[in-house]
Amino acid sequence: MKYYKPFQLFWSFFKIGVFTFGGGYAMIALIEKEVVGRRQWVEQKEFLDLLTLAQTSPGPLALNTAVFVGYKVDGYRGGLSSVLGVVVPSFTIILTIALFFSAFRHNHVVEAVFMGMRPAVVALVLAPIFGLAKGLRAWQLACAAVALAVTWYVGFSPVWLIVVGAIGGLSYAYYAKKKGKES
Amino acid sequence: MIYLQLFLSYLKIGFFGFGGGYAMLSLIQHEVVIRHNWISNSELTDIIAVSQMTPGPISLNSATYIGYVVTDSVWGSVVATIAVCLPSMTLMILITRFYLALHDNRYIKGAMTGMRPMILAMIGLAGAVLFTRDTFSDWISWVIFGVVFLASLKRVDPILLIALSGVAGYLIYA
C-alpha cells in the first residue's frame, strides 16, 4: 500500500506534537527517532546540521524542524502538512482548556492548585539561566546584566535586545574579517 | 481592530522569538500583559503552568489561549496561532533553500554570538516580571520557589515539579 507523502508527514509530526511536553530539548530524541530512524527522510549528519539551523531561526524548535523536514520531502505542500501536524494537537488541547478554564479559574480548589504552581513556574523559568551562563565569557555576562537592567528600568520591548545583539554580533564579525584581511 | 492587533503582536513574537520558549516569554509578556493588557501577569503565569503540562511549545500554547480569551472566539485562536507560525515557516523555508550557503556563514555565526547574551537577559527579564506580590504572597510560596529552583538545577523533570507544586498548593491552600 502506498502512503501519500503529505499525510505521512502530517502523521509523523502529529505524533511528535502530541508527545512534546514542556517543549524544548526533550523532544529532539523523539524527532530523531521518527525522522532519521523510522522514515529516513533525513540522514544522521544532516539532522545535526538541521538542529543548528532550527536554533538559528526564531520560533519553537519543533515547528522549525517540521518546516525543514516537510519542505525537503515534499516542497511547500510538505512543509504545510508537517506544520499542521505539530500545531493541531497543542491547538486542540489548549483551546479546550481555554473554553473551560475561565469558568473554573475562580473555583477555590483550582485557585489553591495554581497558587502552588505559580512560584514553581517562576523557578522553572529562571533555572536554565545557570546552564546558559556557563557557556558565556565574563564580558558577555556583563552585557546580559546591563541589557537586563536597562530593559527593566526603561521598559522598552525585548525586541530591541535581539536587534542590538544581532547588530553587535554582525559588526564584530565584519570588523574581525576586515582586520584579518589587513594583517 | 482586535484581530489585527492580535495578528501583529503574535507576528512580532514569532519573528523575534530567538532562543526558544523561555526567551520568547519576555516578548509575550511585553505584548500581551504590558502593552495591550489583554491578560494579567498571574493569568500568564497560569498559562505557563498549563503549558508545561500539556504538549506543544509555550509560544503556540499562549497564542491559542490568549487568542481565544481576547476575542471570545475560536477565530482569535486561529489568527494568533497562524501569526506566530508564519515567521518560522517563512524563515525556515528560506534557510532550507540556502542551506549550504548559510551553513558556515561567519555573519550568521556572528549575529548568533551577539544574540546569545541577550537571550539570557530576556529569560532573566521574563523571570523578573513574574515576581509579583500576587504570586509570592507568603513564605510558603518562597519555599516552593526555592525547592523547585534547586530541583530543576538537578534536572528533575519540570512536569513532575509543576504537578507536585500543584498538589502542595491544594494541600496547603484549599
Side-chain angles (χ1 to χ4, degrees):
Chain A
M1 194 165 119
K2 195 182 153 219
Y3 277 105
Y4 194 41
K5 261 184 199 160
F7 178 75
Q8 263 185 345
L9 284 164
F10 176 83
W11 181 238
S12 283
F13 279 98
F14 184 87
K15 281 193 287 185
I16 292 165
V18 169
F19 291 108
T20 53
F21 285 89
Y25 301 95
M27 85 248 171
I28 290 178
L30 187 71
I31 299 179
E32 191 179 357
K33 209 174 137 196
E34 184 70 22
V35 167
V36 182
R38 207 164 92 91
R39 304 285 193 187
Q40 301 187 331
W41 281 322
V42 181
E43 283 168 39
Q44 184 67 44
K45 193 188 161 292
E46 203 181 6
F47 186 74
L48 293 177
D49 291 344
L50 157 63
L51 281 183
T52 319
L53 291 175
Q55 280 165 310
T56 311
S57 182
L61 199 60
L63 195 67
N64 292 342
T65 317
V67 178
F68 181 96
V69 176
Y71 183 78
K72 190 179 169 262
V73 173
D74 201 22
Y76 290 107
R77 197 175 52 179
L80 199 63
S81 313
S82 41
V83 166
L84 277 175
V86 168
V87 171
V88 164
S90 94
F91 185 84
T92 321
I93 293 167
I94 294 294
L95 190 63
T96 315
I97 291 173
L99 288 169
F100 298 107
F101 189 46
S102 47
F104 287 113
R105 219 171 103 79
H106 298 293
N107 172 293
H108 87 282
V109 173
V110 175
E111 181 57 29
V113 169
F114 275 97
M115 274 176 82
M117 292 198 293
R118 278 177 210 142
V121 166
V122 185
L124 286 177
V125 169
L126 286 173
I129 287 185
F130 281 81
L132 286 168
K134 264 180 206 156
L136 296 181
R137 301 217 180 95
W139 68 270
Q140 286 177 306
L141 287 177
C143 281
V146 170
L148 171 60
V150 171
T151 318
W152 174 256
Y153 282 110
V154 180
F156 52 53
S157 169
V159 162
W160 294 107
L161 292 179
I162 288 293
V163 173
V164 168
I167 292 176
L170 280 175
S171 331
Y172 182 77
Y174 181 73
Y175 168 79
K177 193 185 175 193
K178 235 181 153 182
K179 209 179 163 193
K181 262 186 188 164
E182 276 166 12
S183 60
Chain B
M1 178 64 185
I2 189 77
Y3 283 94
L4 188 66
Q5 278 183 340
L6 201 59
F7 184 82
L8 291 177
S9 282
Y10 269 96
L11 202 64
K12 211 193 272 177
I13 293 166
F15 190 78
F16 290 99
F18 292 92
Y22 290 147
M24 286 176 95
L25 208 53
S26 73
L27 295 168
I28 298 172
Q29 254 167 3
H30 189 83
E31 287 297 316
V32 170
V33 179
I34 299 169
R35 207 164 147 233
H36 291 294
N37 248 308
W38 283 325
I39 58 168
S40 70
N41 218 326
S42 56
E43 208 172 349
L44 182 68
T45 317
D46 294 350
I47 297 172
I48 305 165
V50 170
S51 191
Q52 284 282 357
M53 292 184 295
T54 55
I58 288 178
S59 52
L60 284 182
N61 289 347
S62 88
T64 308
Y65 185 89
I66 289 160
Y68 177 79
V69 170
V70 168
T71 61
D72 228 351
S73 144
V74 174
W75 290 110
S77 293
V78 174
V79 166
T81 309
I82 290 177
V84 81
C85 290
L86 271 180
S88 284
M89 290 182 68
T90 321
L91 288 170
M92 272 312 283
I93 286 179
L94 286 176
I95 286 179
T96 312
R97 296 193 112 173
F98 302 107
Y99 176 47
L100 288 172
L102 291 175
H103 184 48
D104 237 356
N105 188 293
R106 72 164 76 217
Y107 292 108
I108 289 189
K109 274 191 180 156
M112 288 309 288
T113 312
M115 274 193 270
R116 212 166 290 144
M118 297 306 172
I119 288 167
L120 201 65
M122 283 165 86
I123 298 178
L125 195 65
V129 176
L130 290 177
F131 270 101
T132 58
R133 222 165 264 170
D134 284 343
T135 298
F136 293 90
S137 51
D138 54 12
W139 63 271
I140 297 167
S141 40
W142 284 102
V143 173
I144 295 177
F145 173 83
V147 171
V148 172
F149 191 86
L150 291 175
S152 176
L153 289 182
K154 296 274 172 211
R155 301 195 175 281
V156 180
D157 183 17
I159 303 169
L160 182 70
L161 291 174
I162 289 275
L164 288 178
S165 330
V167 173
Y170 173 75
L171 294 176
I172 296 163
Y173 299 113

